[in-house]
Amino acid sequence: MCVHSTSPWEAPVWSKATRWAAGAMTAACLLLLLGPSAPGGGGPAPLPPGAAEEVVPDRVATWNICNPCGGSGRNYGRATDIATYAPQVIGLQEACVRDVEQIRTYLEEVYGLVYHVAYGPVLRNWNRCGGLPWHPGGYGQAILSAAPMTDRVSVAYPDGGSEDRGYLAVTTLVAGRPVRVFNTHLAERRQAEVRAAQVRRLAAAVARHPRAIALGDFNARPQAAELAPMWPLSTDADPACRSTATPSDACTPTTDWSSKFDYLFLRALTPRTHAVHPTPNSDHHLLHADLDGG
């Protein structure tokens, strides 16, 4: 009989050896628990050499997980990608609630990583996120955090452009300190004027907090005029993208089309390292940074 339990966040994260053992024991249970949503015919996906042993307490990440969207196999792969780098906090964009729940289940049951979740859906979409025609699934932003989150705020931009867009904000621990985390997805790349208004609204919210992280898919290159309000408030985790004077081609691309659209804007926080990880599970790369504590 398979029993599903959720450990409190204070519980120690499992070691890699324990994660492997637990994965082998729970693979069959996943098939029963998740039915057709579970990947078929195998145990847990092996993590690559150098994968994180446990949640990294000073690591933050951002990832637009859609395109290709949906599918249990994709969610299993996404969970493996997240487990490989095991950030303390990760913001997801273009996220359906049901997909995030499935990713969290895989992270816990297969890899022993327990995350709290906060949702910031900006629309409900039956075709994209399933559900019933009269009760479609939520779609938008989500934040996973190994520590509890408080003071959740979900804001829809007055003008989302061709699709509703917004930001999700929470307070949680990063590198041992409380930090306000904003997760956003701005209007599509050809809608610069709409993005400019969205950035002004986001920057005003970020400015109210002495220590903050604004992460997400900004759909604009670093030199784009609409991003100008963010630079006086913060620096990007990519050391090659510290100002609007930086040539765009000096920044590490975060998309399959060789553009930097994804950011970790840090306010009163200092990055030690950053890395960009291409993945077949999205046309955006997973971006993470390790921050100085203290």
Side-chain angles (χ1 to χ4, degrees):
M1 180 177 181
C2 299
V3 179
H4 176 81
S5 63
T6 300
S7 302
W9 77 274
E10 295 89 349
V13 178
W14 298 350
S15 68
K16 185 177 289 186
T18 306
R19 286 155 62 186
W20 273 92
M25 293 174 63
T26 60
C29 292
L30 277 171
L31 294 174
L32 295 174
L33 286 167
L34 302 176
S37 297
L47 296 178
E53 295 283 347
E54 56 188 22
V55 165
V56 182
D58 56 0
R59 179 168 292 172
V60 296
T62 183
W63 191 16
N64 183 323
I65 63 173
C66 193
N67 196 18
C69 305
S72 61
R74 296 287 181 191
N75 290 334
Y76 192 61
R78 289 165 183 146
T80 301
D81 286 335
I82 294 170
T84 298
Y85 308 106
Q88 171 80 29
V89 176
I90 182 169
L92 305 176
Q93 303 88 45
E94 293 201 67
C96 293
V97 170
R98 68 171 184 172
D99 289 338
V100 175
E101 286 302 310
Q102 195 173 69
I103 290 168
R104 287 181 69 220
T105 297
Y106 292 146
L107 284 168
E108 180 176 358
E109 297 291 345
V110 178
Y111 298 112
L113 300 176
V114 180
Y115 284 98
H116 297 263
V117 64
Y119 293 107
V122 291
L123 58 86
R124 303 216 168 252
N125 190 303
W126 179 74
N127 288 330
R128 179 176 282 169
C129 295
L132 300 171
W134 56 89
H135 188 61
Y139 171 82
Q141 287 72 248
I143 296 175
L144 302 182
S145 173
M149 292 174 278
T150 61
D151 303 320
R152 172 191 167 276
V153 173
S154 182
V155 174
Y157 295 124
D159 183 359
S162 56
E163 180 180 84
D164 292 345
R165 298 287 165 88
Y167 71 79
L168 168 67
V170 300
T171 298
T172 191
L173 293 179
V174 178
R177 297 181 294 174
V179 176
R180 192 66 171 167
V181 179
F182 295 82
N183 180 12
T184 193
H185 185 197
L186 301 187
E188 294 180 356
R189 68 182 79 177
R190 295 180 180 85
Q191 299 172 334
E193 291 185 3
V194 176
R195 283 197 303 278
Q198 294 171 348
V199 172
R200 287 194 296 270
R201 188 177 182 92
L202 175 65
V206 172
R208 292 194 287 269
H209 298 273
R211 188 164 51 244
I213 300 169
L215 57 81
D217 178 1
F218 284 70
N219 264 323
R221 293 181 173 88
Q223 289 179 301
E226 62 267 29
L227 295 189
M230 296 303 302
W231 297 109
L233 293 173
S234 56
T235 57
D236 186 59
D238 185 342
C241 295
R242 294 296 177 92
S243 73
T244 54
T246 301
S248 293
D249 59 5
C251 307
T252 306
T254 63
T255 64
D256 285 353
W257 55 94
S258 301
S259 293
K260 178 177 171 64
F261 277 9
D262 304 272
Y263 296 83
L264 291 167
F265 284 111
L266 307 174
R267 178 170 170 81
L269 295 163
T270 304
R272 293 197 318 273
T273 62
H274 91 288
V276 176
H277 307 283
T279 167
N281 296 303
S282 175
D283 60 355
H284 285 252
H285 309 336
L286 191 153
L287 165 65
H288 78 70
D290 293 344
L291 310 183
D292 279 332

